[in-house]
């Protein structure tokens, strides 16, 4: 449901005239994630460096459009960062399952995320090992060779792990479907958020038709 909320809000903010009501769903999400507000805004500030560069280019052509671009981008970014701040990668697979996607798509997504997670852990452990041995990254040929070897090793590990995982699932009688432990029932927060977004969308449509 969070995927639907994110899509609807992003769609409304992107293609509708700017409304003060756009803040309502945003406030609901921020209130729900009030313990992590500082972390959410820190991420938003980092992403704004890229937005500001884009806005500066537009600013010389159309100042009003630049301001509008800045506002829309920040509304969408802040909403999505707050909405998915506590989510893990596996929530994507769970969301696809809730939305009724084909079991194979859900399974492929889940195992891809699982493999990426495992490889990221391997990469971080390798970085710690290099740091413990006194390795310092620079522009020398040795550094390039070292990182080349690391990425080559990770690539080989990825192939081996995916093959091992395939054999493991076959041995367990896997039939292309993953059953999640979490319930498919909507949280009250998700229902309230969806209603607020639908309300904003309804107002926008009413004004456009009126």
């Amino acid at each position: 449901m969070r995927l639907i909320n994110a899509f609807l809000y992003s769609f409304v903010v992107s293609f509708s005239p700017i409304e003060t009501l756009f803040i309502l769903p945003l406030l609901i999400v921020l209130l729900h994630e009030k313990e992590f507000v500082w972390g959410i805004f820190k991420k938003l500030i980092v992403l704004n460096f890229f937005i500001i560069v884009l806005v500066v280019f537009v600013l010389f052509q159309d100042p009003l459009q630049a301001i509008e671009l800045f506002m829309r981008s920040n509304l969408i970014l802040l909403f999505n960062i707050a909405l998915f701040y506590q989510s893990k990668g596996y929530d994507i697979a769970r969301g696809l399952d809730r939305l009724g996607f084909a079991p194979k798509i859900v399974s492929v997504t889940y195992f891809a995320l699982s493999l990426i997670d495992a490889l990221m852990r391997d990469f971080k452990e390798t970085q710690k090992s290099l740091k413990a041995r006194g390795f310092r990254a620079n522009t020398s040929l040795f550094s390039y060779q070292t990182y080349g070897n690391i990425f080559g090793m990770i690539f080989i590990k990825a192939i081996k792990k995916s093959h091992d995982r395939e054999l493991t699932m076959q041995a367990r009688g896997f039939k292309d479907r993953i059953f999640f432990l979490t319930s498919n029932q909507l949280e009250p927060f998700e229902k309230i958020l969806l209603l607020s977004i639908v309300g904003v969308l309804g107002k926008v449509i009413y004004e456009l038709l009126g």
Side-chain angles (χ1 to χ4, degrees):
M1 181 53 67
R2 295 196 179 204
L3 291 174
I4 294 177
N5 284 330
F7 172 77
L8 284 176
Y9 185 81
S10 301
F11 180 82
V12 171
V13 174
S14 298
F15 299 104
S16 306
I18 293 181
E19 297 271 355
T20 53
L21 274 178
F22 289 168
I23 300 175
L24 178 60
L26 187 57
L27 289 176
I28 293 173
V29 178
L30 290 174
L31 185 63
H32 184 262
E33 304 291 338
K34 57 182 180 294
E35 297 178 4
F36 308 98
V37 168
W38 174 237
I40 291 168
F41 276 95
K42 279 172 64 177
K43 285 192 174 183
L44 180 67
I45 291 169
V46 172
L47 292 173
N48 259 282
F49 285 110
F50 301 99
I51 296 173
I52 289 172
V53 173
L54 181 61
V55 168
V56 168
F57 283 109
V58 180
L59 188 64
F60 293 105
Q61 301 175 5
D62 189 342
L64 290 177
Q65 188 177 1
I67 295 171
E68 187 175 327
L69 174 64
F70 182 77
M71 292 176 63
R72 289 182 190 274
S73 301
N74 275 278
L75 283 170
I76 293 171
L77 279 175
L78 183 56
F79 181 85
N80 284 281
I81 292 171
L83 187 62
F84 295 104
Y85 189 76
Q86 296 187 72
S87 298
K88 299 179 181 178
Y90 299 105
D91 290 336
I92 297 174
R94 190 175 290 106
L96 293 176
D97 183 59
R98 282 188 177 187
L99 292 174
F101 277 74
K104 283 189 177 181
I105 295 177
V106 177
S107 300
V108 168
T109 304
Y110 179 85
F111 287 121
L113 292 168
S114 176
L115 186 60
I116 291 170
D117 186 40
L119 293 176
M120 286 300 295
R121 286 199 303 269
D122 288 344
F123 181 68
K124 288 179 180 178
E125 288 175 3
T126 304
Q127 279 186 316
K128 289 180 181 178
S129 176
L130 289 173
K131 190 175 181 180
R133 295 176 183 180
F135 174 77
R136 294 291 180 270
N138 50 45
T139 56
S140 66
L141 182 61
F142 176 73
S143 293
Y144 292 131
Q145 288 176 337
T146 301
Y147 276 108
N149 291 333
I150 290 172
F151 288 120
M153 181 180 64
I154 289 175
F155 181 72
I156 293 171
K157 278 187 176 182
I159 296 174
K160 186 178 184 304
K161 283 187 176 183
S162 61
H163 182 63
D164 291 344
R165 194 157 295 183
E166 179 186 4
L167 295 177
T168 301
M169 299 310 292
Q170 286 177 355
R172 293 177 179 178
F174 179 66
K175 299 297 182 182
D176 299 331
R177 182 175 181 83
I178 293 177
F179 295 92
F180 295 96
L181 296 176
T182 53
S183 170
N184 284 334
Q185 293 182 353
L186 296 179
E187 300 176 10
F189 158 70
E190 293 176 335
K191 293 179 182 178
I192 294 171
L193 183 60
L194 180 61
L195 286 174
S196 68
I197 296 173
V198 170
V200 173
L201 179 60
K203 183 178 183 297
V204 170
I205 293 174
Y206 176 78
E207 290 180 350
L208 290 175
L209 295 177

